[in-house]
């Protein structure tokens, strides 16, 4: 499914790459006397909503933090039910994602996943690889530090084989060795569940991201709250280390060139 994706074609103020930490499923379930697994299951509804809305708006990329490197230490039954949920969600959603033109990728240490889940992920990725709509990344067994270490290892191996000189390693080359090497940095991070921290998510890619913290528990995250996050982003002045005066004169110059 072809769709225009040029950065320049995007409405001003729309993030290119939204990252979301989906927190609060357990508390949402506990408040209803349900199992934590039921909370995770209920978390699929806002995932669909975000994919739908990003597709409608023309956001380039959406990266969701579904399972961290540290989540393996949760009770075994919760880990098993989350892995089961990933299996059934990929199986159940891939047709609709494909129909919407979404390109699905899983990021993280996939060797830690079951062979069955790895195979299913591979099949869903191959099936949607040529789609030109929303780039949807689900982070499973992912940690920002793990990502930086695996990138460093890749580059070290290239240096060891003589393919690369250490002096050739710069930020661009390092970023390309990370999991999201082909995507723009995340410019908006949304975290639900009331906590105000990064929790080892996309450490490199969030360097200049705007941070939107929502007190909503993830299963309660709805279109109105998503829209508030986008409005928050649109209202931010993005300086990238420049002064406000420099940003304004660059904007004036761009205006004159148009
Ligand atoms: C954190 O809430 C949430 C998770 C560890 C799981 C997130 C997974 C989903 C929403 C399912 C989505 C599935 C796909 C395929 C994208 P928590 O359990 O830490 O909540 P708590 O802080 O209230 O305990």
């Amino acid at each position: 499914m072809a769709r225009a994706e040029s950065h320049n074609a995007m409405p001003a103020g729309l993030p290119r790459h939204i990252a979301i930490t989906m927190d609060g499923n357990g508390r949402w379930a506990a408040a209803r006397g349900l199992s934590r697994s039921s909370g995770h299951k209920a978390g699929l509804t806002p995932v669909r909503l975000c994919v739908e809305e990003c597709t409608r708006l023309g956001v380039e990329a959406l990266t969701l933090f579904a399972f961290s490197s540290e989540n393996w230490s949760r009770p075994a039954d919760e880990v098993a039910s989350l892995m089961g949920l990933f299996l059934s969600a990929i199986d159940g959603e891939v047709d609709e994602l494909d129909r919407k033109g979404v390109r699905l990728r899983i990021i993280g240490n996939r060797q830690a996943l079951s062979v069955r889940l790895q195979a299913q992920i591979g099949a869903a990725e191959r099936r949607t690889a040529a789609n030109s709509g929303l780039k949807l990344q689900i982070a499973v067994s992912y940690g920002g530090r793990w990502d930086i270490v695996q990138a460093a290892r890749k580059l070290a191996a290239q240096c060891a084989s003589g393919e690369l000189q250490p002096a050739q390693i710069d930020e661009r080359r390092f970023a390309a060795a990370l999991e999201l090497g082909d995507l723009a940095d995340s410019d908006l991070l949304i975290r639900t569940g009331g906590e105000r921290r990064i929790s080892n998510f996309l450490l490199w890619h969030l360097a200049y991201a705007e941070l939107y913290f929502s007190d909503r528990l993830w299963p309660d995250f709805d279109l109105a709250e998503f829209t508030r996050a986008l409005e928050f982003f649109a209202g931010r002045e993005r300086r990238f280390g420049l002064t406000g005066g420099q940003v304004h004169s660059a904007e004036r110059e761009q205006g004159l060139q148009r």
Side-chain angles (χ1 to χ4, degrees), residues 155 167-178 185 204 207-208:
L155 295 171
Q168 292 176 294
I169 299 174
D170 54 12
E171 289 189 17
R172 188 194 55 76
R173 204 181 280 269
F174 198 93
L178 291 162
D185 276 356
W204 175 285
Y208 287 102

Side-chain angles (χ1 to χ4, degrees), residues 22-28 36 40 43-44 47 64-67 71 74 78 82 85-86 89-90 138 217-218:
M22 309 178 287
D23 196 13
N25 296 345
R27 279 166 284 161
W28 183 91
R36 295 181 58 83
H40 297 315
L44 273 179
V47 168
L64 304 174
F65 204 5
F67 191 86
N71 286 155
R74 289 194 174 198
E78 184 174 348
L82 273 166
L85 180 61
F86 298 145
I90 293 172
I138 313 276
L217 303 175
W218 176 248

